[in-house]
Amino acid sequence: MSFSDSKRSLEKALEVEVTSVAGNGERESLEQSIDPSAPCGDEANVGLHEFDIARQSGLRVTPEQSRRIARKIDFSVLPMFCVAQGLSFLDKTAVNYGNLYGMQPSLHVSGSQFSWFASAFYLGYLVGNYPDSWLLQRYPTGKVFAITTLIWGIIVITTPACTNFASIMANRFFLGLLEAIVTPGLTLLTSIWYTQSEVPFKYLFWYSFNGWAGIFGGFMAYGVGHITNPSIALWKYIFLILGGMSIVFAGVLWFFFPDSPVSAPFFTAEEKVLAVKRVAEGRVGVKHALVDPKTWMLLVGTSASQVPNGIVTNFSTIIIKGLGFTALQSTLLNAVTSALQIVSLLLAGWICMRFKNMRFITMTASSIVCIVAAACLTFLPPDRKWGRLIAYWFTAFQTASLALSLVMIANNIGGFTKKTFTTAIIFVGFCVGNVLGPHFIIDSEAPTYTTGTKAMLISYAIKTVCHAALGVYMLLSNIKRDREYGKVTSHEDQLKGEEAGMHDLTELENHYHRYGGSQSLP
């Protein structure tokens, strides 16, 4: 079922739901007040009709009901978010492990050409970003995810058949084209399944599977390195294993991934209505995106943050090997980076969920850690290999600030249309940074790769400035809105904000919206 089909499903659920929550008289009144033939508005505005049902029936979501619904989502949907993110990370970074086992000489390409393999993926990602999001909105979510995962699994598993620069470039481009649906799509879907207060931790939780995937990839590569008398080149085993895993997971998505809360088989009829109502309470529903300062601060900050990402995700093994370790040691030592990435993401998510108005402080703190780490990696003497290795490990904190900046889209961009468009713009910056990053690794600078580490240092500094400016802007905006429209305190105000958000009003049009993570002081 596509997002636009949710209306018809809810009409069936409504008959059961109204009976369970209202008496006969109330039921008759409620049925008369709802016109099933009335238009839903924007077909991509998930849950507008369901929200109207909840509003007209006077349903309120209790904390206990909200927790019960969240638990069901945690056990049924969140694991598939996690595996999808992890597999996409493994598949796109497979060249990192392949390079360790002779992929570059096997294909007879130079170091600069190999850098283009990483860039080609993000060029495809850039092209596929908006079309993939469009497909996700217009067609059944589970089926779209399943088909794209199947196709990219086939692309990965056929990578060993590529024998030259041109064929690998085409392979990587189309892989990026398909995988562009994952992180941007999950960013949007997280705000559809979870409430505003739940989004930061849930987002960082599934995003942390980049780290879990990195640990798995390290041990997998370590195991591949111990294959005796291999019948094919060792690097080819990496792609065969990962491609096969993605193809199997595509079948899981096809049969078990629900298209929306409305079609989730694990929800009762009542819970389907409540699931939409509780998300609507976040009060956020290509308007204003281009003139909104937040868009451009996020764009520049994301672009800067992804230059280091383009370096470490594609060349981490050879950077560690260049410090003075063997190929097999490098695969295991790289897993420590992934473990620190997991710790930083879960810690950041816990802090933001446990304490109010901590997102920008957490983002800034993680960025400062990265600045110090990149400085040590750049300026420590080459013979201080353990000090430089530890510094490299702590660059993993970059993921926490990036993930929290993406949470800003889920929680602080109002209107589904604007949110989708802003996500597309931000992921343009994501792609640009990742396209540029690999080209700062210059073969002649091995093993220190000074240009690469300096690029990381400068990029972290730019990202920190952008995120700090974003936090100040949102704080001042909240103060200004409180002065002009008053604080949002009453239940009536909250309902008005919910309704405005569900009718696709942006946060700039919705006077009841306040930016999360930078609320003004009471």
Side-chain angles (χ1 to χ4, degrees):
M1 183 191 350
S2 67
F3 290 163
S4 60
D5 291 333
S6 61
K7 175 182 176 182
R8 290 189 291 274
S9 294
L10 250 291
E11 284 162 2
K12 295 179 181 179
L14 175 62
E15 186 175 349
V16 178
E17 158 61 13
V18 171
T19 303
S20 66
V21 299
N24 291 334
E26 292 173 321
R27 180 176 183 272
E28 182 179 352
S29 173
L30 179 58
E31 286 177 334
Q32 291 173 353
S33 68
I34 298 178
D35 179 9
S37 63
C40 284
D42 185 352
E43 289 186 349
N45 191 349
V46 186
L48 175 58
H49 184 63
E50 296 88 314
F51 171 76
D52 286 340
I53 291 174
R55 177 175 57 81
Q56 293 179 47
S57 65
L59 290 177
R60 298 282 296 274
V61 185
T62 66
E64 182 181 348
Q65 288 173 323
S66 185
R67 285 192 295 270
R68 184 178 74 245
I69 291 169
R71 280 196 299 270
K72 287 191 174 185
I73 299 170
D74 287 345
F75 284 106
S76 303
V77 177
L78 187 59
M80 286 185 278
F81 279 23
C82 295
V83 176
Q85 181 67 22
L87 281 178
S88 70
F89 180 82
L90 277 171
D91 290 345
K92 73 182 179 183
T93 58
V95 293
N96 187 21
Y97 301 109
N99 195 21
L100 198 62
Y101 290 127
M103 184 177 181
Q104 181 177 330
S106 176
L107 296 171
H108 308 290
V109 296
S110 66
S112 60
Q113 287 179 313
F114 195 85
S115 295
W116 275 108
F117 294 163
S119 297
F121 174 89
Y122 286 101
L123 289 172
Y125 205 104
L126 181 61
V127 173
N129 183 8
Y130 197 81
D132 285 354
S133 295
W134 184 86
L135 287 172
L136 202 59
Q137 295 171 53
R138 292 297 187 270
Y139 296 98
T141 306
K143 303 302 181 287
V144 171
F145 259 123
I147 292 171
T148 52
T149 303
L150 174 64
I151 297 173
W152 97 51
I154 294 172
I155 291 172
V156 173
I157 209 169
T158 56
T159 303
C162 300
T163 57
N164 54 40
F165 176 74
S167 58
I168 288 286
M169 282 290 289
N171 177 279
R172 296 287 294 173
F173 176 85
F174 285 106
L175 179 62
L177 189 75
L178 273 298
E179 284 201 22
I181 200 170
V182 180
T183 305
L186 294 182
T187 298
L188 291 173
L189 291 175
T190 302
S191 63
I192 291 171
W193 286 94
Y194 288 105
T195 66
Q196 190 177 37
S197 62
E198 295 166 348
V199 163
F201 184 76
K202 304 302 181 183
Y203 186 102
L204 269 67
F205 184 83
W206 62 254
Y207 202 84
S208 74
F209 271 70
N210 283 0
W212 291 110
I215 292 174
F216 173 84
F219 282 103
M220 176 199 64
Y222 185 78
V224 168
H226 283 82
I227 294 176
T228 56
N229 302 318
S231 56
I232 56 176
L234 288 179
W235 67 268
K236 295 184 178 182
Y237 285 102
I238 302 290
F239 292 91
L240 294 176
I241 294 169
L242 297 180
M245 290 171 61
S246 294
I247 291 172
V248 171
F249 183 60
V252 175
L253 290 173
W254 181 272
F255 291 107
F256 298 107
F257 194 91
D259 299 318
S260 73
V262 179
S263 64
F266 49 83
F267 281 154
T268 65
E270 176 187 2
E271 287 171 340
K272 290 177 180 180
V273 179
L274 294 176
V276 173
K277 179 64 167 63
R278 79 188 199 102
V279 172
E281 291 171 357
R283 302 187 295 280
V284 291
V286 171
K287 295 184 289 184
H288 298 150
L290 294 176
V291 297
D292 188 348
K294 299 194 304 296
T295 301
W296 302 108
M297 285 184 275
L298 282 169
L299 175 62
V300 175
T302 302
S303 300
S305 72
Q306 291 312 288
V307 170
N309 188 69
I311 294 172
V312 300
T313 57
N314 294 289
F315 297 98
S316 61
T317 53
I318 66 167
I319 290 174
I320 294 175
K321 185 179 179 182
L323 296 176
F325 299 96
T326 67
L328 288 177
Q329 287 173 335
S330 298
T331 62
L332 296 181
L333 291 172
N334 193 40
V336 178
T337 313
S338 300
L340 279 175
Q341 183 183 74
I342 296 168
V343 170
S344 67
L345 284 165
L346 296 183
L347 179 62
W350 180 82
I351 289 172
C352 294
M353 184 176 66
R354 179 68 178 80
F355 303 102
K356 290 184 177 180
N357 306 327
M358 287 295 293
R359 287 180 208 167
F360 288 103
I361 295 174
T362 307
M363 288 166 65
T364 302
S366 62
S367 295
I368 291 172
V369 170
C370 292
I371 290 173
V372 173
C376 292
L377 192 58
T378 302
F379 299 112
L380 280 178
D383 61 343
R384 300 283 296 276
K385 72 174 186 178
W386 283 104
R388 298 182 73 231
L389 175 63
I390 292 171
Y392 173 77
W393 284 340
F394 275 89
T395 61
F397 275 68
Q398 68 175 2
T399 313
S401 57
L402 169 67
L404 284 173
S405 70
L406 297 178
V407 168
M408 292 294 124
I409 300 174
N411 274 10
N412 290 304
I413 302 295
F416 195 82
T417 306
K418 181 184 177 184
K419 185 179 295 187
T420 304
F421 188 71
T422 302
T423 301
I425 292 176
I426 300 311
F427 275 92
V428 167
F430 179 88
C431 295
V432 169
N434 277 290
V435 168
L436 294 176
H439 298 282
F440 289 103
I441 296 296
I442 302 171
D443 273 355
S444 61
E445 295 182 346
T448 57
Y449 302 105
T450 307
T451 300
T453 58
K454 287 181 178 178
M456 293 169 65
L457 176 59
I458 294 170
S459 298
Y460 289 142
I462 294 173
K463 175 184 70 169
T464 304
V465 171
C466 289
H467 288 169
L470 179 63
V472 171
Y473 171 80
M474 292 170 68
L475 174 62
L476 294 177
S477 296
N478 280 353
I479 293 172
K480 181 181 178 182
R481 281 174 170 245
D482 286 346
R483 287 174 179 169
E484 291 182 356
Y485 309 114
K487 293 182 180 293
V488 179
T489 54
S490 68
H491 180 63
E492 234 177 64
D493 288 343
Q494 292 174 1
L495 288 176
K496 290 177 182 177
E498 293 170 17
E499 186 170 4
M502 290 303 296
H503 282 84
D504 203 31
L505 292 183
T506 72
E507 78 282 8
L508 302 181
E509 297 171 310
N510 185 353
H511 296 165
Y512 300 95
H513 177 78
R514 297 296 181 269
Y515 294 118
S518 6
Q519 280 83 2
S520 58
L521 295 175

